[in-house]
Amino acid sequence: MNAGTNYFYCQANLGRRETYGRWTNTWWAKTDDDSGNSGVYVSAVYLKGGRNDAPVPGLPIC
């Protein structure tokens, strides 16, 4: 996804751990990417807000 404002439909705990620096999470947010693919999941570690191993506040559960 290109940098900037993006939108996400919902989030799910997919059980796949992603770690980025000090952030780690098994929650993934569902979106459409910039290449025309729909239903793509992006790890919550790349989203602003939230805590380790917790859902992103305010984003619905899928």
Side-chain angles (χ1 to χ4, degrees):
M1 295 182 68
N2 296 327
T5 302
N6 298 296
Y7 61 94
F8 297 93
Y9 302 114
C10 59
Q11 63 185 322
N13 185 337
L14 300 182
R16 297 189 323 247
R17 179 165 305 284
E18 180 81 9
T19 301
Y20 180 73
R22 64 184 178 116
W23 303 107
T24 186
N25 215 316
T26 57
W27 285 86
W28 296 72
K30 189 175 185 178
T31 189
D32 298 333
D33 70 15
D34 297 319
S35 300
N37 299 304
S38 60
V40 175
Y41 282 93
V42 175
S43 175
V45 298
Y46 302 111
L47 306 179
K48 185 176 181 177
R51 298 170 303 173
N52 283 336
D53 293 323
V56 177
L59 187 59
I61 305 299
C62 296

